[in-house]
Amino acid sequence: MKLLVTGGAGFIGSNFIHHILKTYPQYKIVTLDKLTYAGNLDNLSDIEPANNYQFVKGDICDLKLVEEIVSGGIDAILNFAAETHVDRSLYDPKCFVQTNITGTQVLLEAVLKYKVKRFIQISTDEVYGSIEQGKFFTEESLLLPNSPYSASKAGADLLVRSYFKTFKLPVLITRSSNNYGPYQFPEKLIPLFITNALEDRELPLYGDGLYIRDWIYVEDNCKGIDLVLHKGKEGEIYNLGGGAEKTNLEITNFILNYLGKPESLIKHVKDRPAHDRRYAMDCIKAEKELNFRPKVKLEEGLKKTVEWYLNNKEWWKKVKSGEYLKYYENHYLKREKV
Ligand code: NAD
Ligand code: TYD
């Protein structure tokens, strides 16, 4: 099987490529990645020499390039490429619409033209919006996104659906909860707080810190996507959650305790606008139909993640000294303390 993995130099994409090449050494992978600030070839350096792996630098919005790759014979496309950070989507929504919606449409056109046998859209629980305690979103729930990021992902999901309905394309969608693990760019909560704590910098906790996310270890999400790729039903959506709801404050305290750092590093800052209070999904469909069951417990996954950042200081120090630093200084350090 030959896969086109878009966004393969990012966090989940690179973990997915590692997972596939380990599980199916006979598969071939082409990855197409624009190498934005979030794309990092260091994430793939160990597999670069493999002769069943090829990297192409480019944009998923570039139809000519996408067609060139797909016409070479691709059995399935997995679309991980996206602008992914909610906070950035508040400052610069345009590129979210461009990559997340237009880019997805370009890939769908290539699937249609070259009769690709499977297209997996990697989506998110954020398309459903926020949900009160005790309730859970199913795949049938309304899409009520609240940030430009989640709205662009919801737009892409609807386009994918339309290509299924209109052109009978063999498409599937996964919606996972918040991922964490190795190679996550240190702008997202867990890697930002681990690396800031290691540098004795403040941890900017938004609002009261009692916002709830369901956390899935990235390896479990990759296994779920693998199941959807091989066993999922065309036209279907699969929720892939970790079954581990925690407040941001609980996550923060775990990191600080594990690293033996003081709680005084926590800085309560002004809240993110339209901040979703809670994400939670019902994942019974993936469990029943695909036998999807996340294996890594939150505490174990968090320990593994903290250890990874402890053992890979060079990786994140390099990332944090690049374009990221300018962004961090312009936006994060200017947040008002509350
Ligand atoms: P990431 O930001 O770490 O990586 C995104 C990758 O896409 C980068 O390598 C970047 O260079 C590439 N990219 C961006 N624009 C591109 C373009 N126009 N053309 C080609 N490549 C481009 O993201 P991630 O956290 O790995 O997320 C991967 C996917 O999973 C995204 O679609 C995201 O919406 C979805 N998702 C993420 C999470 C999470 O917790 N991280 C949860 C649910 C769903
Ligand atoms: P994030 O990792 O940005 O993922 P998402 O917004 O897609 O869920 O944020 C996770 C939670 O952590 C979210 O409730 C916002 C909060 N958060 C902070 O409190 N401080 C921060 O510096 C960041 C990045 C996030």
Side-chain angles (χ1 to χ4, degrees), residues 5-19:
V5 176
T6 70
F11 164 48
I12 309 177
S14 60
N15 276 283
F16 182 75
I17 292 174
H18 281 103
H19 164 79

Side-chain angles (χ1 to χ4, degrees), residues 40-328:
N40 187 346
L41 284 178
D42 291 348
N43 301 0
L44 297 164
S45 55
D46 55 331
I47 55 167
E48 214 171 284
N51 51 19
N52 54 345
Y53 162 78
Q54 187 196 348
F55 179 81
V56 179
K57 182 173 189 273
D59 194 327
I60 58 166
C61 302
D62 181 346
L63 180 61
K64 194 162 162 272
L65 175 63
V66 169
E67 286 196 351
E68 227 170 81
I69 297 169
V70 176
S71 62
I74 291 289
D75 299 303
I77 300 179
L78 296 111
N79 183 27
F80 290 87
E83 289 292 340
T84 62
H85 196 203
V86 173
D87 292 322
R88 284 184 189 250
S89 79
L90 309 177
Y91 302 116
D92 182 17
K94 197 170 160 204
C95 62
F96 283 73
V97 173
Q98 176 69 6
T99 287
N100 299 0
I101 302 182
T102 304
T104 302
Q105 190 263 333
V106 164
L107 295 172
L108 288 166
E109 280 300 310
V111 172
L112 180 61
K113 184 163 173 187
Y114 293 96
K115 299 189 173 38
V116 178
K117 293 197 275 299
R118 227 140 158 87
F119 177 84
I120 317 288
Q121 172 69 0
I122 308 301
S123 186
T124 164
D125 59 358
E126 302 194 24
V127 296
Y128 299 121
S130 191
I131 194 161
E132 64 197 72
Q133 286 285 0
K135 293 191 176 170
F136 298 87
F137 289 120
T138 72
E139 289 83 353
E140 307 294 320
S141 298
L142 276 181
L143 301 190
L144 291 171
N146 293 313
S147 71
Y149 163 66
S150 52
S152 67
K153 293 296 289 185
D157 285 11
L158 294 178
L159 259 180
V160 171
R161 174 192 149 90
S162 78
Y163 274 69
F164 175 70
K165 293 284 180 190
T166 313
F167 305 110
K168 311 276 177 290
L169 285 199
V171 298
L172 300 97
I173 296 175
T174 68
R175 292 188 181 138
S176 86
S177 54
N178 282 57
N179 285 230
Y180 66 103
Y183 302 113
Q184 187 168 28
F185 194 88
E187 64 183 350
K188 307 278 165 63
L189 179 79
I190 290 179
L192 177 72
F193 281 18
I194 294 171
T195 56
N196 275 14
L198 285 172
E199 293 179 311
D200 296 308
R201 295 171 84 143
E202 286 170 332
L203 314 187
L205 194 61
Y206 300 161
D208 60 7
L210 301 180
Y211 292 84
I212 294 173
R213 296 291 179 265
D214 168 46
W215 294 96
I216 183 167
Y217 192 63
V218 64
E219 208 174 275
D220 278 327
N221 185 26
C222 292
K223 286 180 183 162
I225 296 168
D226 176 348
L227 287 169
V228 171
L229 170 67
H230 292 99
K231 295 189 183 160
K233 209 172 134 219
E234 287 174 15
E236 295 292 323
I237 298 165
Y238 295 94
N239 287 347
L240 303 175
E245 284 184 46
K246 288 285 172 218
T247 65
N248 297 334
L249 186 60
E250 287 171 315
I251 296 285
T252 307
N253 283 330
F254 181 94
I255 293 169
L256 289 173
N257 288 339
Y258 190 75
L259 290 173
K261 298 286 182 178
E263 280 181 22
S264 57
L265 283 181
I266 299 175
K267 177 183 173 190
H268 283 273
V269 295
K270 196 170 165 208
D271 213 346
R272 175 191 274 176
H275 193 171
D276 288 329
R277 192 64 169 167
R278 175 172 173 262
Y279 295 143
M281 291 184 296
D282 173 323
C283 301
I284 287 172
K285 179 176 172 182
E287 189 180 323
K288 274 199 181 149
E289 292 183 19
L290 309 173
N291 204 19
F292 167 73
R293 278 185 192 80
K295 296 250 159 31
V296 181
K297 298 268 172 289
L298 183 66
E299 192 173 316
E300 178 198 347
L302 278 176
K303 284 182 186 165
K304 279 162 72 144
T305 305
V306 177
E307 289 297 330
W308 189 85
Y309 283 87
L310 273 168
N311 292 326
N312 289 277
K313 280 195 179 139
E314 252 176 61
W315 181 90
W316 59 263
K317 291 238 177 209
K318 188 168 153 194
V319 167
K320 275 193 149 184
S321 64
E323 186 263 354
Y324 169 86
L325 197 64
K326 256 189 286 158
Y327 173 80
Y328 190 81

